[in-house]
Amino acid sequence: MNDPLRIGVICHPTYGGSGVVASELALSLAGLGHQVHLFSHEVPPRLARSPGPVQMHVAQGIPYPLFHSTPHDLAITSRVLELHREIGLDILHAHYALPHAVSAFLAREAAKHDTDRRPPKTVTTLHGTDITLVGNDPSYAPLTEHILLASDAVTAVSEDLARRTRENFCTRVAPCSIEVVPNFVDLEEFSPDVEANTCVNEGGVPTAVHVSNFRAVKRVPWLIEAFADACEGIEARLVLVGDGPEQAACRRIAQERGIQDRVIFLGERDALPALLAPATVFCLASTEESFGLSSLEAMSCGTPVVATRVGGVCEVVEDGKSGLLVDVNDRQGYAQALRTLLTDPDRAQQLGKNARARAEAEFAREKVVPRYEALYRRLVAQNDEPTA
Ligand code: GMT
Protein backbone atom coordinates (compact mmCIF):
# COMPACT_ATOMS: atom_id res chain seq x y z
CA MET A 1 0.00 0.00 0.00
CA ASN A 2 1.04 3.64 -0.56
CA ASP A 3 1.68 5.76 2.52
CA PRO A 4 -1.28 5.55 4.87
CA LEU A 5 -3.37 8.71 4.99
CA ARG A 6 -4.56 10.56 8.09
CA ILE A 7 -8.28 10.93 7.57
CA GLY A 8 -10.88 12.79 9.63
CA VAL A 9 -14.55 11.87 9.12
CA ILE A 10 -17.38 14.04 10.52
CA CYS A 11 -20.94 12.70 10.79
CA HIS A 12 -24.28 12.72 12.58
CA PRO A 13 -24.45 10.03 15.27
CA THR A 14 -28.21 9.42 15.11
CA TYR A 15 -29.78 6.30 13.61
CA GLY A 16 -29.86 7.16 9.91
CA GLY A 17 -28.11 6.33 6.71
CA SER A 18 -25.50 9.08 6.61
CA GLY A 19 -24.09 8.13 10.03
CA VAL A 20 -24.09 4.46 9.01
CA VAL A 21 -22.25 5.16 5.74
CA ALA A 22 -19.71 7.42 7.49
CA SER A 23 -19.05 4.84 10.23
CA GLU A 24 -18.75 1.93 7.79
CA LEU A 25 -16.44 3.98 5.57
CA ALA A 26 -14.27 4.95 8.54
CA LEU A 27 -14.02 1.29 9.63
CA SER A 28 -13.22 0.14 6.07
CA LEU A 29 -10.50 2.78 5.61
CA ALA A 30 -8.97 1.87 8.97
CA GLY A 31 -9.08 -1.77 7.86
CA LEU A 32 -7.03 -0.76 4.79
CA GLY A 33 -4.33 0.66 7.06
CA HIS A 34 -5.19 4.37 7.14
CA GLN A 35 -5.23 6.34 10.39
CA VAL A 36 -8.89 7.27 10.77
CA HIS A 37 -10.50 9.68 13.24
CA LEU A 38 -14.26 10.03 13.53
CA PHE A 39 -15.82 13.21 14.94
CA SER A 40 -19.38 13.53 16.20
CA HIS A 41 -21.29 14.72 19.24
CA GLU A 42 -22.03 11.11 20.24
CA VAL A 43 -20.65 7.73 19.22
CA PRO A 44 -22.62 6.55 16.12
CA PRO A 45 -24.30 3.17 16.81
CA ARG A 46 -22.58 1.39 13.89
CA LEU A 47 -19.17 2.39 15.25
CA ALA A 48 -20.10 1.65 18.86
CA ARG A 49 -20.77 -2.02 18.14
CA SER A 50 -17.57 -2.54 16.13
CA PRO A 51 -14.11 -3.33 17.51
CA GLY A 52 -12.48 -1.66 14.46
CA PRO A 53 -9.44 0.61 15.00
CA VAL A 54 -11.11 3.99 14.34
CA GLN A 55 -10.30 6.73 16.86
CA MET A 56 -13.53 8.31 18.06
CA HIS A 57 -13.64 11.98 19.11
CA VAL A 58 -16.84 12.98 20.87
CA ALA A 59 -17.08 16.79 20.90
CA GLN A 60 -20.17 18.28 22.51
CA GLY A 61 -19.17 21.74 23.68
CA ILE A 62 -20.60 23.31 26.80
CA PRO A 63 -24.11 24.60 27.35
CA TYR A 64 -24.26 28.31 28.13
CA PRO A 65 -27.28 30.44 29.05
CA LEU A 66 -26.83 32.64 25.95
CA PHE A 67 -27.07 29.64 23.60
CA HIS A 68 -30.53 28.42 22.60
CA SER A 69 -28.96 24.98 22.16
CA THR A 70 -25.39 23.78 22.55
CA PRO A 71 -23.49 24.35 19.27
CA HIS A 72 -21.93 20.90 18.86
CA ASP A 73 -20.68 21.83 15.40
CA LEU A 74 -18.38 24.52 16.83
CA ALA A 75 -16.99 22.06 19.35
CA ILE A 76 -16.39 19.53 16.54
CA THR A 77 -14.62 22.17 14.41
CA SER A 78 -12.43 23.07 17.34
CA ARG A 79 -11.51 19.44 18.08
CA VAL A 80 -10.71 18.82 14.40
CA LEU A 81 -8.38 21.81 14.36
CA GLU A 82 -6.71 20.73 17.58
CA LEU A 83 -6.07 17.23 16.20
CA HIS A 84 -4.86 18.59 12.87
CA ARG A 85 -2.27 20.71 14.70
CA GLU A 86 -1.18 17.61 16.60
CA ILE A 87 -0.93 15.04 13.78
CA GLY A 88 -1.63 16.79 10.43
CA LEU A 89 -4.81 15.50 8.78
CA ASP A 90 -4.55 14.88 5.01
CA ILE A 91 -8.31 14.63 4.43
CA LEU A 92 -11.38 15.92 6.21
CA HIS A 93 -14.49 14.12 4.96
CA ALA A 94 -17.84 15.67 5.95
CA HIS A 95 -20.99 13.54 5.69
CA TYR A 96 -24.21 15.52 5.21
CA ALA A 97 -23.66 19.10 4.08
CA LEU A 98 -25.05 20.82 7.14
CA PRO A 99 -23.42 21.55 9.43
CA HIS A 100 -20.48 19.24 8.88
CA ALA A 101 -19.18 20.62 5.60
CA VAL A 102 -19.21 24.02 7.25
CA SER A 103 -17.16 22.65 10.16
CA ALA A 104 -14.68 21.10 7.71
CA PHE A 105 -14.45 24.37 5.77
CA LEU A 106 -13.82 26.41 8.93
CA ALA A 107 -11.16 23.98 10.17
CA ARG A 108 -9.40 24.04 6.78
CA GLU A 109 -9.46 27.84 6.59
CA ALA A 110 -8.13 28.15 10.14
CA ALA A 111 -5.38 25.63 9.34
CA LYS A 112 -4.21 27.83 6.44
CA HIS A 113 -2.76 30.22 9.03
CA ASP A 114 -0.42 27.54 10.38
CA THR A 115 2.94 27.57 8.65
CA ASP A 116 4.19 24.17 9.76
CA ARG A 117 1.46 22.01 8.19
CA ARG A 118 -0.57 21.84 4.99
CA PRO A 119 -4.29 22.31 5.55
CA PRO A 120 -6.40 19.17 5.05
CA LYS A 121 -8.28 18.72 1.78
CA THR A 122 -12.04 18.74 2.36
CA VAL A 123 -14.53 16.27 0.86
CA THR A 124 -18.29 16.76 1.25
CA THR A 125 -20.61 13.80 0.71
CA LEU A 126 -24.23 14.73 0.04
CA HIS A 127 -26.74 12.22 1.38
CA GLY A 128 -30.17 13.54 0.45
CA THR A 129 -32.23 15.85 2.61
CA ASP A 130 -29.12 17.98 3.17
CA ILE A 131 -29.88 19.10 -0.42
CA THR A 132 -33.54 18.32 -0.97
CA LEU A 133 -35.25 19.38 2.28
CA VAL A 134 -32.84 21.23 4.56
CA GLY A 135 -29.94 22.72 2.62
CA ASN A 136 -32.23 24.26 0.00
CA ASP A 137 -34.43 26.02 2.55
CA PRO A 138 -33.99 29.79 2.03
CA SER A 139 -32.63 30.04 5.57
CA TYR A 140 -29.61 27.87 4.63
CA ALA A 141 -29.38 27.86 0.81
CA PRO A 142 -26.69 30.55 0.31
CA LEU A 143 -24.41 28.81 2.80
CA THR A 144 -25.08 25.38 1.27
CA GLU A 145 -24.15 26.74 -2.14
CA HIS A 146 -20.98 28.31 -0.82
CA ILE A 147 -19.96 25.06 0.85
CA LEU A 148 -20.45 23.10 -2.37
CA LEU A 149 -18.10 25.49 -4.16
CA ALA A 150 -15.58 25.74 -1.34
CA SER A 151 -15.15 21.97 -0.75
CA ASP A 152 -12.11 20.49 -2.46
CA ALA A 153 -14.39 17.69 -3.70
CA VAL A 154 -18.11 16.94 -3.55
CA THR A 155 -19.64 13.49 -3.89
CA ALA A 156 -23.30 12.38 -4.00
CA VAL A 157 -24.70 8.95 -3.22
CA SER A 158 -26.74 8.71 -6.44
CA GLU A 159 -26.99 10.18 -9.94
CA ASP A 160 -30.40 11.55 -9.03
CA LEU A 161 -29.04 13.47 -6.05
CA ALA A 162 -26.12 14.83 -8.11
CA ARG A 163 -28.57 16.03 -10.77
CA ARG A 164 -30.85 17.70 -8.23
CA THR A 165 -27.88 19.39 -6.59
CA ARG A 166 -26.71 20.78 -9.93
CA GLU A 167 -30.24 21.97 -10.73
CA ASN A 168 -30.81 23.61 -7.34
CA PHE A 169 -27.45 25.04 -6.53
CA CYS A 170 -25.19 25.42 -9.52
CA THR A 171 -27.23 27.90 -11.55
CA ARG A 172 -25.77 31.17 -10.28
CA VAL A 173 -22.18 30.03 -10.40
CA ALA A 174 -20.00 27.66 -12.46
CA PRO A 175 -21.38 24.10 -12.51
CA CYS A 176 -20.26 22.17 -9.46
CA SER A 177 -18.23 19.08 -10.12
CA ILE A 178 -19.93 16.26 -8.26
CA GLU A 179 -18.67 12.69 -8.34
CA VAL A 180 -21.25 9.97 -7.77
CA VAL A 181 -20.05 7.34 -5.31
CA PRO A 182 -22.92 5.02 -4.34
CA ASN A 183 -23.44 3.65 -0.85
CA PHE A 184 -22.10 0.19 -0.14
CA VAL A 185 -22.79 -2.89 1.96
CA ASP A 186 -20.76 -5.53 3.77
CA LEU A 187 -21.83 -8.67 1.91
CA GLU A 188 -20.67 -10.99 4.67
CA GLU A 189 -22.47 -9.22 7.48
CA PHE A 190 -25.64 -8.66 5.45
CA SER A 191 -25.91 -12.19 4.15
CA PRO A 192 -28.86 -14.48 3.40
CA ASP A 193 -27.22 -17.07 5.66
CA VAL A 194 -27.28 -15.19 9.00
CA GLU A 195 -29.17 -16.72 11.89
CA ALA A 196 -32.74 -15.43 11.72
CA ASN A 197 -34.58 -13.42 14.35
CA THR A 198 -37.59 -15.51 15.35
CA CYS A 199 -40.12 -12.65 15.30
CA VAL A 200 -39.77 -12.44 11.51
CA ASN A 201 -41.59 -15.21 9.64
CA GLU A 202 -42.53 -16.74 13.03
CA GLY A 203 -44.57 -19.87 12.42
CA GLY A 204 -43.98 -19.48 8.69
CA VAL A 205 -46.20 -16.36 8.45
CA PRO A 206 -45.04 -14.20 5.50
CA THR A 207 -43.56 -11.00 6.88
CA ALA A 208 -42.85 -7.55 5.50
CA VAL A 209 -40.06 -5.63 7.29
CA HIS A 210 -39.49 -1.87 7.30
CA VAL A 211 -36.55 -0.02 8.85
CA SER A 212 -36.43 3.76 9.28
CA ASN A 213 -36.32 6.71 11.64
CA PHE A 214 -40.09 7.30 11.31
CA ARG A 215 -39.75 10.84 9.99
CA ALA A 216 -42.54 12.26 7.79
CA VAL A 217 -40.46 11.69 4.62
CA LYS A 218 -40.52 7.90 5.29
CA ARG A 219 -44.35 7.88 5.29
CA VAL A 220 -44.72 4.93 7.66
CA PRO A 221 -48.43 5.71 8.41
CA TRP A 222 -49.13 5.45 4.63
CA LEU A 223 -47.20 2.17 4.57
CA ILE A 224 -49.37 0.75 7.38
CA GLU A 225 -52.51 1.73 5.49
CA ALA A 226 -51.17 0.00 2.38
CA PHE A 227 -50.24 -3.09 4.39
CA ALA A 228 -53.76 -3.17 5.89
CA ASP A 229 -55.16 -3.30 2.33
CA ALA A 230 -52.55 -5.84 1.21
CA CYS A 231 -53.16 -8.35 3.99
CA GLU A 232 -56.95 -8.50 3.77
CA GLY A 233 -57.95 -12.18 3.84
CA ILE A 234 -54.37 -13.50 4.01
CA GLU A 235 -52.03 -14.30 6.86
CA ALA A 236 -49.18 -11.76 6.97
CA ARG A 237 -47.25 -9.57 9.40
CA LEU A 238 -45.48 -6.23 9.27
CA VAL A 239 -42.39 -5.74 11.45
CA LEU A 240 -41.35 -2.11 11.96
CA VAL A 241 -37.79 -1.42 13.08
CA GLY A 242 -36.71 2.01 14.32
CA ASP A 243 -38.31 4.92 16.11
CA GLY A 244 -39.08 8.57 15.49
CA PRO A 245 -41.67 11.33 15.37
CA GLU A 246 -44.42 9.39 13.52
CA GLN A 247 -44.45 6.27 15.71
CA ALA A 248 -47.49 7.31 17.74
CA ALA A 249 -49.48 8.01 14.55
CA CYS A 250 -48.47 4.58 13.23
CA ARG A 251 -49.75 2.81 16.35
CA ARG A 252 -53.01 4.69 16.08
CA ILE A 253 -53.53 3.73 12.44
CA ALA A 254 -52.77 0.07 13.15
CA GLN A 255 -55.48 0.16 15.86
CA GLU A 256 -57.96 2.00 13.61
CA ARG A 257 -57.46 -0.53 10.81
CA GLY A 258 -57.79 -3.42 13.28
CA ILE A 259 -54.39 -4.88 12.42
CA GLN A 260 -52.63 -4.10 15.73
CA ASP A 261 -51.88 -7.82 16.26
CA ARG A 262 -50.19 -8.06 12.86
CA VAL A 263 -47.99 -4.97 13.16
CA ILE A 264 -44.99 -5.41 15.43
CA PHE A 265 -43.10 -2.34 16.62
CA LEU A 266 -39.56 -3.38 17.52
CA GLY A 267 -38.01 0.06 18.14
CA GLU A 268 -34.34 0.70 17.43
CA ARG A 269 -32.24 -2.42 16.80
CA ASP A 270 -28.65 -3.03 15.81
CA ALA A 271 -29.09 -6.67 14.75
CA LEU A 272 -30.46 -5.77 11.32
CA PRO A 273 -29.23 -8.73 9.24
CA ALA A 274 -31.08 -11.18 11.51
CA LEU A 275 -34.29 -9.21 10.88
CA LEU A 276 -33.79 -8.60 7.16
CA ALA A 277 -32.63 -12.03 5.99
CA PRO A 278 -35.75 -14.03 7.00
CA ALA A 279 -38.19 -11.34 5.77
CA THR A 280 -40.41 -12.18 2.82
CA VAL A 281 -40.17 -8.60 1.58
CA PHE A 282 -38.56 -5.33 2.65
CA CYS A 283 -40.75 -2.26 2.24
CA LEU A 284 -40.07 1.45 1.89
CA ALA A 285 -42.73 4.06 1.08
CA SER A 286 -40.77 7.33 1.20
CA THR A 287 -41.72 10.50 -0.65
CA GLU A 288 -38.00 11.30 -1.11
CA GLU A 289 -35.06 8.92 -0.99
CA SER A 290 -31.71 9.75 -2.46
CA PHE A 291 -30.53 6.15 -2.19
CA GLY A 292 -32.34 3.99 0.40
CA LEU A 293 -29.51 2.28 2.24
CA SER A 294 -31.80 -0.03 4.20
CA SER A 295 -33.14 -1.41 0.89
CA LEU A 296 -29.61 -2.25 -0.19
CA GLU A 297 -28.94 -3.98 3.15
CA ALA A 298 -32.13 -6.03 2.67
CA MET A 299 -31.13 -6.89 -0.91
CA SER A 300 -27.74 -8.04 0.29
CA CYS A 301 -29.58 -10.38 2.70
CA GLY A 302 -31.43 -11.84 -0.32
CA THR A 303 -34.71 -10.05 0.45
CA PRO A 304 -36.68 -8.39 -2.38
CA VAL A 305 -37.89 -4.80 -2.00
CA VAL A 306 -41.21 -3.07 -2.55
CA ALA A 307 -40.58 0.68 -2.72
CA THR A 308 -41.88 3.92 -4.11
CA ARG A 309 -40.29 5.03 -7.38
CA VAL A 310 -38.49 8.10 -6.03
CA GLY A 311 -35.04 9.67 -6.27
CA GLY A 312 -32.12 7.27 -6.27
CA VAL A 313 -34.17 4.21 -5.28
CA CYS A 314 -34.47 3.30 -9.00
CA GLU A 315 -30.66 3.19 -9.19
CA VAL A 316 -30.61 0.55 -6.43
CA VAL A 317 -33.72 -1.59 -7.00
CA GLU A 318 -34.46 -2.76 -10.55
CA ASP A 319 -38.23 -2.85 -11.00
CA GLY A 320 -39.45 -6.38 -11.69
CA LYS A 321 -36.01 -7.90 -11.16
CA SER A 322 -34.78 -7.24 -7.61
CA GLY A 323 -38.04 -5.79 -6.33
CA LEU A 324 -41.21 -3.96 -7.31
CA LEU A 325 -41.41 -0.16 -7.66
CA VAL A 326 -44.66 1.75 -7.48
CA ASP A 327 -45.58 5.38 -8.19
CA VAL A 328 -45.38 7.51 -5.09
CA ASN A 329 -49.11 8.23 -4.71
CA ASP A 330 -50.42 4.87 -5.90
CA ARG A 331 -51.38 3.27 -2.59
CA GLN A 332 -53.52 0.62 -4.25
CA GLY A 333 -50.65 -0.36 -6.54
CA TYR A 334 -48.31 -0.48 -3.56
CA ALA A 335 -50.70 -2.73 -1.62
CA GLN A 336 -50.99 -4.99 -4.67
CA ALA A 337 -47.20 -5.24 -5.02
CA LEU A 338 -46.87 -6.16 -1.34
CA ARG A 339 -49.62 -8.73 -1.61
CA THR A 340 -48.03 -10.29 -4.68
CA LEU A 341 -44.77 -10.97 -2.86
CA LEU A 342 -46.43 -11.98 0.42
CA THR A 343 -48.51 -14.61 -1.39
CA ASP A 344 -46.10 -15.85 -4.06
CA PRO A 345 -43.05 -17.35 -2.32
CA ASP A 346 -41.44 -18.50 -5.60
CA ARG A 347 -41.56 -14.99 -7.09
CA ALA A 348 -40.32 -13.45 -3.83
CA GLN A 349 -37.44 -15.92 -3.70
CA GLN A 350 -36.43 -15.30 -7.32
CA LEU A 351 -36.44 -11.52 -6.83
CA GLY A 352 -34.50 -12.00 -3.58
CA LYS A 353 -31.81 -13.99 -5.41
CA ASN A 354 -31.54 -11.28 -8.06
CA ALA A 355 -31.37 -8.65 -5.31
CA ARG A 356 -28.39 -10.36 -3.69
CA ALA A 357 -26.66 -10.68 -7.08
CA ARG A 358 -27.15 -6.95 -7.70
CA ALA A 359 -25.74 -6.05 -4.28
CA GLU A 360 -22.69 -8.21 -5.05
CA ALA A 361 -22.18 -6.78 -8.53
CA GLU A 362 -22.68 -3.06 -7.85
CA PHE A 363 -22.54 -2.19 -4.17
CA ALA A 364 -19.97 -4.40 -2.44
CA ARG A 365 -17.83 -2.58 0.13
CA GLU A 366 -14.66 -3.85 -1.61
CA LYS A 367 -15.73 -2.18 -4.87
CA VAL A 368 -16.92 1.17 -3.53
CA VAL A 369 -14.47 2.10 -0.75
CA PRO A 370 -11.46 2.19 -3.13
CA ARG A 371 -13.27 4.93 -5.05
CA TYR A 372 -13.17 7.19 -2.00
CA GLU A 373 -9.55 6.18 -1.43
CA ALA A 374 -8.65 7.10 -5.01
CA LEU A 375 -10.38 10.47 -4.62
CA TYR A 376 -8.38 11.20 -1.45
CA ARG A 377 -5.12 10.30 -3.21
CA ARG A 378 -5.94 12.60 -6.12
CA LEU A 379 -6.63 15.49 -3.74
CA VAL A 380 -3.48 14.93 -1.71
CA ALA A 381 -1.42 14.73 -4.91
CA GLN A 382 -2.62 18.26 -5.78
CA ASN A 383 -0.36 19.50 -2.96
CA ASP A 384 2.66 18.50 -5.08
CA GLU A 385 1.46 20.04 -8.33
CA PRO A 386 3.32 23.21 -9.33
CA THR A 387 1.17 26.33 -8.89
CA ALA A 388 0.50 28.35 -12.04
O1 GMT B 1 -31.37 12.74 4.30
C1 GMT B 1 -31.84 12.10 5.23
O2 GMT B 1 -33.02 11.78 5.37
C2 GMT B 1 -30.94 11.67 6.26
C3 GMT B 1 -30.01 10.66 5.73
C4 GMT B 1 -29.63 9.90 6.92
O3 GMT B 1 -28.74 10.35 7.64
O4 GMT B 1 -30.31 8.90 7.15
O5 GMT B 1 -30.62 9.78 4.75
C5 GMT B 1 -30.15 9.97 3.46
O6 GMT B 1 -28.89 9.36 3.38
C6 GMT B 1 -28.88 7.93 3.30
C7 GMT B 1 -27.43 7.48 3.21
O7 GMT B 1 -26.79 7.99 2.10
C8 GMT B 1 -29.69 7.49 2.08
O8 GMT B 1 -29.70 6.07 2.00
C9 GMT B 1 -31.13 7.99 2.24
O9 GMT B 1 -31.84 7.65 1.07
C10 GMT B 1 -31.15 9.49 2.42
N1 GMT B 1 -32.51 9.91 2.79
C11 GMT B 1 -33.28 10.64 1.96
O10 GMT B 1 -32.92 11.02 0.87
C12 GMT B 1 -34.65 10.93 2.47
Side-chain angles (χ1 to χ4, degrees):
M1 159 179 186
N2 295 323
D3 288 346
L5 297 168
R6 280 158 296 215
I7 302 164
V9 176
I10 315 177
C11 72
H12 289 290
T14 37
Y15 279 84
S18 62
V20 170
V21 172
S23 303
E24 295 286 356
L25 176 62
L27 288 162
S28 306
L29 291 163
L32 292 170
H34 300 292
Q35 187 188 135
V36 186
H37 299 261
L38 200 140
F39 301 85
S40 195
H41 62 86
E42 276 170 28
V43 185
R46 275 285 166 104
L47 188 74
R49 66 165 212 222
S50 160
V54 170
Q55 298 179 46
M56 181 70 219
H57 303 261
V58 174
Q60 297 189 327
I62 53 160
Y64 189 68
L66 276 182
F67 298 152
H68 176 64
S69 59
T70 306
H72 302 309
D73 39 336
L74 296 185
I76 288 172
T77 311
S78 202
R79 178 67 192 123
V80 167
L81 191 56
E82 184 180 44
L83 184 76
H84 175 67
R85 288 179 175 154
E86 206 180 303
I87 66 161
L89 289 167
D90 299 299
I91 295 290
L92 204 41
H93 190 162
H95 287 263
Y96 208 82
L98 297 176
H100 299 138
V102 182
S103 292
F105 168 77
L106 280 178
R108 185 194 69 191
E109 294 308 296
K112 284 182 180 167
H113 297 289
D114 299 341
T115 48
D116 56 337
R117 292 198 187 286
R118 284 177 167 149
K121 294 286 185 186
T122 58
V123 179
T124 299
T125 288
L126 306 173
H127 282 273
T129 51
D130 46 355
I131 288 300
T132 59
L133 289 181
V134 186
N136 63 343
D137 184 87
S139 58
Y140 295 123
L143 181 60
T144 309
E145 183 174 72
H146 173 69
I147 277 309
L148 291 172
L149 293 167
S151 299
D152 292 305
V154 177
T155 74
V157 298
S158 63
E159 293 290 348
D160 182 75
L161 183 61
R163 179 187 56 75
R164 292 182 70 172
T165 308
R166 282 186 210 105
E167 279 172 13
N168 287 338
F169 289 103
C170 306
T171 48
R172 212 170 47 78
V173 285
C176 314
S177 148
I178 302 170
E179 185 172 342
V180 175
V181 183
N183 289 330
F184 58 90
V185 66
D186 182 329
L187 295 168
E188 270 178 42
E189 188 186 357
F190 287 85
S191 146
D193 304 323
V194 294
E195 204 177 312
N197 181 311
T198 47
C199 80
V200 177
N201 281 10
E202 197 180 1
V205 177
T207 305
V209 172
H210 168 82
V211 181
S212 81
N213 43 24
F214 285 60
R215 285 174 306 147
V217 73
K218 303 289 175 182
R219 239 180 11 167
V220 194
W222 189 94
L223 172 65
I224 295 175
E225 295 273 13
F227 175 77
D229 295 340
C231 71
E232 247 172 62
I234 60 165
E235 247 205 316
R237 255 187 232 123
L238 174 63
V239 171
L240 299 167
V241 185
D243 204 347
E246 297 220 307
Q247 225 219 62
C250 292
R251 286 184 188 276
R252 199 187 59 243
I253 288 167
Q255 288 278 351
E256 281 168 10
R257 296 292 307 257
I259 53 167
Q260 64 276 17
D261 297 339
R262 293 158 163 250
V263 182
I264 299 153
F265 291 85
L266 284 188
E268 280 168 359
R269 294 300 167 96
D270 284 334
L272 291 181
L275 291 161
L276 295 171
T280 315
V281 55
F282 178 82
C283 46
L284 200 61
S286 311
T287 51
E288 296 258 353
E289 204 68 67
S290 69
F291 186 90
L293 181 64
S294 49
S295 303
L296 172 60
E297 292 181 335
M299 287 165 67
S300 180
C301 289
T303 301
V305 175
V306 169
T308 39
R309 193 180 281 112
V310 291
V313 171
C314 320
E315 295 166 43
V316 182
V317 182
E318 304 146 295
D319 189 18
K321 206 166 168 203
S322 41
L324 301 175
L325 298 180
V326 182
D327 286 347
V328 69
N329 289 321
D330 182 4
R331 204 177 86 192
Q332 220 186 337
Y334 192 97
Q336 186 51 51
L338 264 185
R339 193 178 172 91
T340 301
L341 294 192
L342 288 168
T343 53
D344 185 346
D346 292 343
R347 177 105 192 267
Q349 260 180 27
Q350 187 52 55
L351 294 185
K353 270 193 190 140
N354 298 344
R356 169 73 187 184
R358 178 150 176 82
E360 286 172 2
E362 300 294 332
F363 303 108
R365 170 199 294 263
E366 297 71 21
K367 291 191 175 168
V368 178
V369 172
R371 294 178 56 183
Y372 281 117
E373 217 184 358
L375 171 65
Y376 300 160
R377 295 265 179 222
R378 282 201 309 276
L379 291 173
V380 170
Q382 287 172 1
N383 286 329
D384 302 324
E385 286 167 11
T387 43

